[in-house]
Amino acid sequence: MSAPVLDPVAALNVSRETTEKLHRFVALLEKWNPAINLVSRSTLSDAWTRHILDSAQLYALAPATAQRWLDLGSGGGFPGIVNAILAAELRPTSTHTLVEVDQRKSTFLRQAIQDLGLNATVLTSRIEQLPPQGAEVITARALAPLRLLCSLAHPHLAPNCACLFQKGARYAAEIAEAQISWRLDYDLHPSLTDPEAVILKLKALDHV
């Protein structure tokens, strides 16, 4: 696995405008976090590596033509808001749907979208209750074991959809467990922020 990147801002390789939006998002996170607990307080001092770069690394793995993004369990906006910020520069016609069941976190996400002028919407709902979304990219970070993630994502797949799931040190065991119920066509990509973690890119997903 790769070692963590030492300069997360330089690693993003985006414009000054996009970098400024990311800074504004971190400032919003710091402002709201004491009241809502969007992320662990211990990670705020290292937010650029632990949250921004950790989320942004997904963007390059998405299909180049993908327009409809779906982020499951968005929480504090990772990776959904970060990817929407990158898309404002790199793929401005794409749309981003963030799903978050917690009303207070949804309010934060909507405020961030408004303040940053993003082409994104928030659905305050349990994932299981969503109508099919027809997404071309589905993302999730620290949401659920892979076997459950497959069940949550499957109803929302568009043809040739790519699922980008961030997984920790137990990823191999999670894949083995998921393969009991699911046929998976996937690639593994080393995380830029955690030497024990990977990004699992599912290129095809179907029931066994």
Side-chain angles (χ1 to χ4, degrees):
M1 297 297 175
S2 62
V5 173
L6 296 180
D7 186 350
V9 180
L12 292 174
N13 193 29
V14 293
S15 69
R16 179 179 298 177
E17 179 182 2
T18 296
T19 301
E20 288 175 354
K21 281 187 178 182
L22 291 167
H23 275 292
R24 287 164 56 195
F25 179 51
V26 171
L28 282 170
L29 184 72
E30 292 171 341
K31 178 181 177 180
W32 284 63
N33 201 63
I36 302 181
N37 195 30
L38 298 162
V39 298
S40 171
R41 292 182 183 180
S42 64
T43 65
L44 272 179
S45 62
D46 194 23
W48 276 88
T49 296
R50 295 288 296 274
H51 300 300
I52 300 299
L53 179 58
D54 190 53
S55 298
Q57 63 181 324
L58 300 184
Y59 197 88
L61 300 177
T65 58
Q67 292 290 312
R68 297 189 303 277
W69 292 60
L70 178 67
D71 187 44
L72 301 178
S74 298
F78 306 105
I81 291 289
V82 175
N83 284 323
I85 291 172
L86 297 177
E89 173 187 346
L90 302 172
R91 205 176 304 183
T93 58
S94 63
T95 60
H96 297 254
T97 301
L98 283 61
V99 184
E100 174 52 51
V101 69
D102 186 284
Q103 182 64 56
R104 295 191 305 164
K105 291 179 180 178
S106 292
T107 299
F108 167 75
L109 294 171
R110 291 189 179 96
Q111 188 65 55
I113 289 167
Q114 179 178 325
D115 289 358
L116 299 172
L118 304 178
N119 190 11
T121 57
V122 179
L123 300 179
T124 305
S125 171
R126 291 183 58 83
I127 299 166
E128 298 89 338
Q129 296 174 347
L130 288 179
Q133 297 294 304
E136 296 169 285
V137 181
I138 299 177
T139 57
R141 180 188 193 231
L143 177 62
L146 180 60
R147 189 172 183 175
L148 177 55
L149 274 179
C150 291
S151 296
L152 295 174
H154 188 260
H156 306 296
L157 303 175
N160 301 314
C161 178
C163 296
L164 302 174
F165 298 148
Q166 291 165 281
K167 286 294 168 186
R170 287 195 69 256
Y171 68 87
E174 288 197 38
I175 291 172
E177 291 165 2
Q179 287 175 323
I180 297 172
S181 304
W182 298 94
R183 286 193 294 270
L184 310 177
D185 180 7
Y186 65 90
D187 294 328
L188 292 176
H189 299 268
S191 171
L192 297 177
T193 61
D194 182 345
E196 295 185 340
V198 300
I199 299 167
L200 175 65
K201 180 178 181 178
L202 291 180
K203 299 176 290 184
L205 169 65
D206 206 352
H207 293 285
V208 168

